[in-house]
Amino acid sequence: MSDVAALPNGWQLIVGLEVHVELATKTKMFSASANRFGDEPNTNIDPVTLGLPGALPVLNQHAIELAMRIGLALNCKVQPCTFHRKNYFYPDLPKAYQITQYDHPLNVDGHLMLPGDVRIGIERAHLEEDTGKSTHFGGSSGRIHGSDYSLIDFNRAGVPLVEIVSRPDIRTSEQARQYVAELRSILLAVGASDAKMEEGSMRCDVNVSVHKPGTPFGTRCEIKNVNSIRSVGRAIDYESRRQVDLIESGGTIRQETRHWDDSTGRTETLRTKEDADDYRYFLEPDLVPLIPDPEWIEAVRAALPILPAARRLALAELCGVDKDGESALVVVERGQDDYVGAVISAGGDPRRSIIYVQQAFAEQGATPKVPAKDLAALTILERDAKVTSTQAKTLLTDLIDAGGGDVLAMAAKRGFETLDTSAVEEMVDAAIAAEPGAWQKYCNGEDKALGALVGAVMKSSKGKADGKVITALLQSKKNS
Amino acid sequence: MQKLVEIASGVSNGSLSASAVVEQHLARIDVRESEIHAFNLVTADQARLDAAKVDADVKSGKKVGALAGVPIAVKDNMCTRGVETTCSSKILQGWKPPYDATVVTKLRAAGAIIIGKTNLDEFAMGSSTENSAFGPTKNPHDISRVPGGSSGGSAAAVAAGFAAASLGSDTGGSIRQPAALCGVVGVKPTYGVVSRYGLVAFASSLDQIGPFTCDVRDAATLLEVISGHDPLDSTSIPQPAPSLVSVLEHGVAGMRIGRVTDLPEGCEADVLERLESAFDALRNAGATIVDIKLPSIQYCLTAYYLIAPAEASSNLARYDGVRYGNRVDAADLNSMYAATREAGFGEEVKRRIMLGTYALSAGYYDAYYGKALKVRRLISDDFARAYQSVDTILTPTSPSVAFEFGSKTDNPLAMYLCDVFTIPTNLAGHPAMSVPFGTGAHSMPVGVQVLAPTLGEQAMFKVAAELERAS
Amino acid sequence: MAEKISQETVVKVSRLARLSLTSDEAEKMTSQLAGMLEHFRDIDALDLADVEPMTQPYPLKNVLRKDVEAPSLDRQEVLGQAPATESGRFRVPPTIGFDV
């Protein structure tokens, strides 16, 4: 997916992201009914969840623990905090107010690093409760506009959420996608959430504005209904162009919430109620302040796993690859970096170890079934040119299929023995003699002729000569 | 009329039949309830079943609870599972909660017989029970007069002998004022001593549940049963129920009783005379009377009538016709909300929702709600200073005896003034109780109010017991 | 304290509170609220600059509950009390505008 070209005419993009994350607790934020996705509607309900008269909230200790993990993993300060009511009417909001955090949130002033050492500030990561789910029926497009009625399921109401608000430090849609991806991997690493955008356990609202550098930030629009990492990029690309086009044609950006439509690839105005809602925030009188004691915070910090960025860095240094590159990203994402470390400890060639795992271990999960020493042995065989690259690929498949084994024996069984260099050199000389035309072209700088020569040697060696060795010999003969 | 304590001990030792006790109370209800209208619902059938079970348990030697066989009425803003709970509002008419309030669970566990749900000012907003959507309750002492509010039904039920005791709720005086007007004992405990889980919220930082009884010992007994930490209420004080019955005979010798010299104006002469008499009685019993000032007390009404409606406006937003209660249908959602709430809420409720919404709204928060919270701090500080030199304080409960129906309904502010002596303790979160102390104008009962600091229930009950002995 | 409350403000507030007042009701409400708010001006006389707001009557903190599941309410009992339901869910008229 290519990054869109920078905005025309010197316009700069400013993006901030608000990500809502459902926490992986057993029960809801303020009551003990189950926090479970996919159950029959309205089967995880209690007086608090339904906003029944007389119901009262009580904070879920584990939700606080997970929220602290998130905050600490994002380098936030964890502080004494309070809860507020945000008052508005909507059928999926059972009390007609949401309990959230307002001026004293749990986590503040953190940051997240993107590839290329780009630092995105995190303003806050606070606790709140989720709403129920509305489904709309009737209208032609399935959207509410003009539909006949809605049905509400309160299973999701009260599920614990952490809202992570970035500072408007993001400058490209690529960075936005990276931010979401990195945030997601952090959430998974600390066990705070399963962060599945397709199930709604991670939701992104995107704030977009444009300006010319040296001038104040422009009016921003909030975009909702962005349901995948890919959509994050597409929505930003569309919206930023929309704003630039509007300004350049003499219009002004209205501060509003817009709805992303993935099928049309456009954002549209969300027609809300006549008056903008006044949320009348006030301190939640049914709850008391949360002052996590320093011992608890330290215990959570100490128990944090090594985070993905640190793991990628360690892996990159171990294997000699780019910490922001594809192989480090993929291997850490799969949780296979410890395994790669084990392969290298068993004597494996570092670069080959990571590449084999990246390319062939997609199905293997965090604990691959191939014993580290076996894979290590294979990397050494290839490194020492005892097998060709092609043969090594075959042996890798064999190893995976068998769940390990003695690679030397496997190679022998397959009849893979590479020829040693002097034998190959004889064949190279023979091929030069047999293909003087190709040899001439190659010596004159036509690298395309190389292929014919290599092919000839391969043929006469019945595939036992390593292509890299052949090429190296031809090159050295050409240069001598 | 039998006292709670007598019934409980009689039933548990087999000398009284719970069924007979229930029948006596139901008989009195039969005679006078149509006149008094203390109840929204009399749960006669279930009460008989519950009483029969208690008798059977006693007969078979099973251990029964501390309130076994005692008929108790519950204010209709406390959830009773499967039993209609209306808050005397059309919007909840017919609603049956799927759960019990914690206090109801405790009553049942103690073997009490819940005899009915009592009438109240709609959503506990009022001082006369005239704001009930189902008609007012009459004062059993004089049916042309109000029983007080908002727990008018609960107070009247005890005064008329329909129940041995009842539960009410108090946000600005809604237990104590009706107790004074009906000549019974009414207690508002320290905020957090009795669980609010299942109490339909009016103003969350002010509401408390408490007992109405015939005498102080019954009140102490019932309060002990319903108090204590509840993990379902985050504002519940993490302590067990206080021990109150044990201190009732201690007397007041050596105690210091505060007399507020800067009480707000407006108290009738007959009430003031009773208050003086109460001070005399306590002095004679060995207490010292100490003059104190509470300079911020004159601002309490304002603070209360900004804080309580603000919280109420948020607490009552859930009555939207979506999940429960009565809905008025409309073509679109917002119209449905508006039509439902317009039809379902009475005038006083609407007025307080409007006031509260305004006080919280953008641009007005600092001027109203924000300021009121600061005034609350001042009152709390005044009390703290006062309690350095006294153990309890004595004031009137209500500025007058029970007034006539319709005499204050035209002027909301006049009605609000009924609570001028009770509101300060709600703001501070302190306990207070009203004890009957003779009669005043029109031979109507007068109550005097005993105030104590946070968790000062024992001191409060000692003084109350002494006043009762002297009355 | 703010200016005297206007009927326009009262109507705006009534919309926020989802109360549909008739014009008579709005007029009456305006005059009653104005009277009350006038009375409440008494607190303007106080110097509250250095006073901490009091939001909690009793100073508790860190009231938490363990993450242990309790049985759900019975769906039938709950839906039986609802004004309108369909396929196990609460039914409401449509909202005008997009889903947020």
Side-chain angles (χ1 to χ4, degrees):
Chain A
M1 168 105 207
S2 68
D3 193 9
V4 77
L7 293 170
N9 301 333
W11 288 101
Q12 184 178 60
L13 174 65
I14 306 291
V15 171
L17 290 172
E18 287 166 19
V19 178
H20 288 84
V21 177
E22 285 181 6
L23 298 180
T25 55
K26 295 207 196 78
T27 65
K28 299 194 177 183
M29 185 76 208
F30 296 116
S31 62
S33 53
N35 170 10
R36 241 189 332 261
F37 180 80
D39 283 356
E40 277 295 295
N42 293 305
T43 52
N44 295 324
I45 53 176
D46 60 67
V48 178
T49 296
L50 294 173
L52 294 186
L56 291 174
V58 184
L59 260 179
N60 181 336
Q61 184 171 346
H62 196 55
I64 310 304
E65 166 102 16
L66 296 181
M68 288 202 289
R69 284 189 208 170
I70 294 174
L72 292 170
L74 294 175
N75 306 290
C76 293
K77 178 178 123 192
V78 177
Q79 58 176 15
C81 58
T82 55
F83 293 86
H84 273 67
R85 292 191 187 179
K86 177 182 180 182
N87 299 280
Y88 66 95
F89 286 85
Y90 203 71
D92 65 11
L93 189 66
K95 302 183 293 302
Y97 57 86
Q98 180 196 37
I99 302 178
T100 179
Q101 297 195 297
Y102 187 56
D103 51 3
H104 294 109
L106 179 66
N107 302 304
V108 288
D109 295 338
H111 65 267
L112 184 117
M113 300 303 296
L114 299 183
D117 295 326
V118 174
R119 182 177 160 129
I120 308 297
I122 307 271
E123 191 179 296
R124 53 195 279 152
H126 69 253
L127 286 154
E128 56 186 36
E129 51 176 348
D130 211 344
T131 62
K133 219 161 182 311
S134 307
T135 325
H136 311 289
F137 294 87
S140 54
S141 59
R143 298 207 301 248
I144 326 181
H145 197 42
S147 71
D148 289 341
Y149 62 98
S150 307
L151 296 182
I152 325 286
D153 170 18
F154 288 98
N155 281 353
R156 196 183 69 179
V159 163
L161 291 180
V162 168
E163 179 177 344
I164 303 163
V165 182
S166 83
R167 296 198 195 281
D169 295 343
I170 295 170
R171 293 287 170 272
T172 69
S173 61
E174 168 82 13
Q175 283 177 356
R177 285 185 285 114
Q178 288 169 341
Y179 175 92
V180 176
E182 185 66 8
L183 187 57
R184 183 164 187 278
S185 63
I186 291 173
L187 294 167
L188 290 169
V190 303
S193 173
D194 64 11
K196 292 185 186 169
M197 287 183 82
E198 68 279 11
E199 279 181 9
S201 54
M202 180 161 129
R203 294 168 234 154
C204 296
D205 294 335
V206 187
N207 291 296
V208 179
S209 69
V210 296
H211 79 133
K212 296 254 171 102
T215 69
F217 283 3
T219 306
R220 68 169 197 262
C221 291
E222 182 188 31
I223 308 171
K224 288 189 172 289
N225 197 43
V226 180
N227 296 329
S228 67
I229 293 180
R230 184 164 171 269
S231 298
V232 168
R234 293 180 69 217
I236 291 171
D237 292 341
Y238 173 84
E239 177 63 15
S240 54
R241 288 310 298 254
R242 181 192 79 85
Q243 291 191 8
V244 165
D245 291 346
L246 181 57
I247 296 171
E248 289 195 334
S249 65
T252 46
I253 307 296
R254 190 176 51 178
Q255 181 167 20
E256 59 177 351
T257 304
R258 297 176 68 84
H259 174 97
W260 168 251
D261 186 328
D262 211 48
S263 55
T264 61
R266 301 160 50 87
T267 63
E268 277 139 12
T269 304
L270 255 179
R271 248 179 303 120
T272 49
K273 306 137 218 132
E274 310 81 56
D275 312 271
D277 251 329
D278 170 3
Y279 294 121
R280 288 154 284 137
Y281 285 98
F282 68 102
L283 198 78
E284 169 57 84
D286 290 330
L287 291 174
V288 301
L290 174 65
I291 304 176
D293 69 61
E295 286 81 55
W296 189 13
I297 300 174
E298 273 324 296
V300 175
R301 193 196 308 270
L304 283 179
I306 302 174
L307 295 175
R311 291 168 66 184
R312 290 195 298 267
L313 179 63
L315 183 64
E317 284 170 357
L318 187 63
C319 300
V321 296
D322 176 12
K323 71 167 169 59
D324 294 330
E326 173 99 12
S327 46
L329 185 73
V330 164
V331 169
V332 167
E333 199 158 55
R334 288 192 210 136
Q336 292 168 343
D337 46 324
D338 286 342
Y339 175 78
V340 170
V343 172
I344 295 168
S345 298
D349 172 70
R351 254 198 70 252
R352 284 180 175 80
S353 301
I354 190 174
I355 288 169
Y356 283 15
V357 170
Q358 178 203 348
Q359 289 179 350
F361 276 51
E363 310 295 307
Q364 287 288 309
T367 40
K369 297 191 182 52
V370 177
K373 63 171 171 52
D374 295 343
L375 192 64
L378 180 57
T379 66
I380 292 164
L381 271 189
E382 199 211 339
R383 181 197 66 194
D384 295 347
K386 296 273 171 49
V387 292
T388 67
S389 307
T390 317
Q391 289 169 341
K393 280 199 172 70
T394 307
L395 287 173
L396 184 54
T397 309
D398 287 349
L399 265 184
I400 291 170
D401 288 344
D406 176 355
V407 285
L408 271 176
M410 286 169 150
K413 193 161 173 215
R414 287 249 183 206
F416 290 165
E417 328 128 32
T418 46
L419 303 172
D420 66 41
T421 312
S422 55
V424 176
E425 191 167 5
E426 281 176 29
M427 294 187 179
V428 166
D429 290 337
I432 290 171
E435 305 272 350
W439 175 242
Q440 200 66 18
K441 281 189 185 154
Y442 177 60
C443 289
N444 288 342
E446 284 186 47
D447 288 330
K448 278 183 290 190
L450 183 62
L453 293 164
V454 171
V457 176
M458 285 288 233
K459 197 154 165 228
S460 62
S461 75
K462 297 190 180 59
K464 289 187 184 168
D466 189 316
K468 293 194 282 300
V469 173
I470 300 169
T471 307
L473 284 166
L474 283 166
Q475 256 168 1
S476 73
K477 284 176 195 296
K478 169 182 147 183
N479 295 333
S480 65
Chain B
M1 243 119 61
Q2 281 163 319
K3 306 282 177 63
L4 175 155
V5 167
E6 287 159 15
I7 296 172
S9 75
V11 165
S12 73
N13 69 31
S15 62
L16 271 179
S17 143
S19 301
V21 169
V22 161
E23 288 309 326
Q24 281 161 18
H25 287 81
L26 289 172
R28 278 185 225 123
I29 291 171
D30 265 341
V31 170
R32 269 198 101 188
E33 168 60 7
S34 56
E35 181 187 47
I36 305 288
H37 184 220
F39 291 99
N40 287 340
L41 179 68
V42 178
T43 49
D45 293 343
Q46 188 60 47
R48 289 184 171 114
L49 287 171
D50 293 341
K53 175 151 197 313
V54 167
D55 284 333
D57 284 348
V58 169
K59 233 193 189 115
S60 67
K62 285 211 192 92
K63 190 166 193 293
V64 291
L67 299 176
V70 178
I72 299 192
V74 173
K75 186 174 181 181
D76 203 17
N77 64 352
M78 298 176 208
C79 288
T80 41
R81 184 176 179 180
V83 174
E84 194 175 348
T85 300
T86 68
C87 301
S88 288
S89 176
K90 286 197 268 188
I91 214 166
L92 282 181
Q93 193 168 16
W95 180 61
K96 295 183 184 169
Y99 77 108
D100 275 334
T102 293
V103 291
V104 170
T105 304
K106 289 190 177 214
L107 286 181
R108 293 198 209 279
I113 311 296
I114 294 175
I115 200 161
K117 305 297 293 296
T118 57
N119 195 18
L120 58 149
D121 281 297
E122 187 180 358
F123 283 109
M125 299 182 189
S127 306
S128 66
T129 313
E130 289 171 292
N131 292 329
S132 167
F134 308 135
T137 297
K138 315 284 174 54
N139 191 318
H141 294 274
D142 178 346
I143 59 169
S144 72
R145 294 178 184 274
V146 302
S150 61
S151 314
S154 282
V158 173
F162 297 161
S166 65
L167 292 187
S169 70
D170 189 313
T171 304
S174 291
I175 290 176
R176 293 159 287 158
Q177 185 253 23
L181 269 50
C182 289
V184 297
V185 175
V187 184
K188 184 200 86 70
T190 302
Y191 181 91
V193 161
V194 176
S195 168
R196 289 184 300 119
Y197 185 76
L199 169 68
V200 179
F202 159 15
S204 313
S205 73
L206 300 165
D207 293 342
Q208 270 292 276
I209 294 174
F212 287 97
T213 56
C214 295
D215 71 5
V216 172
R217 188 169 63 142
D218 281 0
T221 307
L222 181 47
L223 188 54
E224 282 180 2
V225 171
I226 61 172
S227 304
H229 178 246
D230 183 12
L232 293 172
D233 175 355
S234 297
T235 61
S236 170
I237 295 178
Q239 282 183 22
S243 168
L244 300 169
V245 176
S246 60
V247 308
L248 296 177
E249 303 302 311
H250 285 198
V252 300
M255 286 183 78
R256 304 160 302 167
I257 320 280
R259 176 210 298 273
V260 184
T261 57
D262 52 2
L263 265 187
E265 305 263 299
C267 195
E268 298 287 329
D270 56 330
V271 172
L272 287 172
E273 187 274 323
R274 292 281 80 223
L275 181 67
E276 274 319 300
S277 187
F279 276 120
D280 289 340
L282 293 173
R283 203 182 289 113
N284 292 340
T288 315
I289 313 302
V290 180
D291 280 353
I292 57 166
K293 278 187 180 330
L294 297 172
S296 312
I297 200 170
Q298 60 174 308
Y299 302 106
C300 281
L301 213 75
T302 295
Y304 175 82
Y305 278 102
L306 290 170
I307 294 170
E311 294 182 4
S313 70
S314 177
N315 285 328
L316 267 63
R318 68 189 61 197
Y319 303 106
D320 56 11
V322 172
R323 289 142 288 123
Y324 46 83
N326 296 301
R327 178 194 293 190
V328 174
D329 263 308
D332 71 270
L333 187 70
N334 281 319
S335 305
M336 184 276 274
Y337 285 154
T340 293
R341 291 159 68 79
E342 170 69 17
F345 288 143
E347 202 179 307
E348 182 63 32
V349 169
K350 279 189 213 157
R351 193 163 25 241
R352 297 204 195 187
I353 290 175
M354 288 291 296
L355 182 53
T357 306
Y358 179 68
L360 288 173
S361 60
Y364 300 110
Y365 178 99
D366 288 327
Y368 296 112
Y369 185 70
K371 262 197 196 163
L373 292 178
K374 295 187 171 197
V375 174
R376 187 175 189 175
R377 171 76 61 197
L378 290 183
I379 291 148
S380 175
D381 289 348
D382 280 358
F383 273 118
R385 259 187 302 274
Y387 283 122
Q388 285 170 359
S389 52
V390 298
D391 305 302
T392 65
I393 298 169
L394 203 69
T395 72
T397 305
S398 162
S400 73
V401 297
F403 45 91
E404 288 173 325
F405 281 105
S407 61
K408 294 185 199 273
T409 44
D410 283 339
N411 183 356
L413 266 173
M415 189 68 84
Y416 296 168
L417 284 166
C418 294
D419 300 328
V420 68
F421 302 126
T422 48
I423 276 172
T425 43
N426 296 89
L427 290 169
H430 293 167
M433 65 191 284
S434 183
V435 181
F437 205 75
T439 56
H442 316 287
S443 308
M444 291 300 288
V446 173
V448 292
Q449 182 181 216
V450 186
L451 294 72
T454 299
L455 295 174
E457 274 82 350
Q458 285 190 336
M460 179 176 77
F461 268 89
K462 283 186 206 172
V463 172
E466 189 61 52
L467 286 170
E468 185 175 73
R469 283 190 282 273
S471 70
Chain C
M1 203 172 269
E3 302 274 303
K4 196 174 162 103
I5 191 171
S6 68
Q7 188 153 329
E8 196 192 318
T9 302
V10 166
V11 170
K12 213 169 94 172
V13 170
S14 74
R15 266 199 243 119
L16 261 184
R18 298 298 185 275
L19 289 173
S20 68
L21 303 175
T22 64
S23 58
D24 280 348
E25 279 176 319
E27 203 180 313
K28 186 175 178 193
M29 185 74 75
T30 304
S31 111
Q32 284 178 336
L33 289 179
M36 286 180 203
L37 291 167
E38 187 60 34
H39 186 97
F40 299 158
R41 289 182 81 93
D42 61 352
I43 63 176
D44 285 351
L46 294 166
D47 177 13
L48 299 170
D50 294 324
V51 181
E52 273 298 297
M54 177 173 171
T55 48
Q56 268 183 289
Y58 189 89
L60 292 170
K61 61 180 168 103
N62 295 341
V63 176
L64 301 171
R65 135 189 92 80
K66 296 260 179 283
D67 191 25
V68 175
E69 192 181 327
S72 169
L73 286 176
D74 177 58
R75 179 166 83 176
Q76 210 157 317
E77 187 177 355
V78 167
L79 291 180
Q81 294 293 307
T85 63
E86 188 183 291
S87 4
R89 287 174 283 182
F90 299 85
R91 187 182 157 131
V92 296
T95 335
I96 296 174
F98 283 92
D99 180 20
V100 177

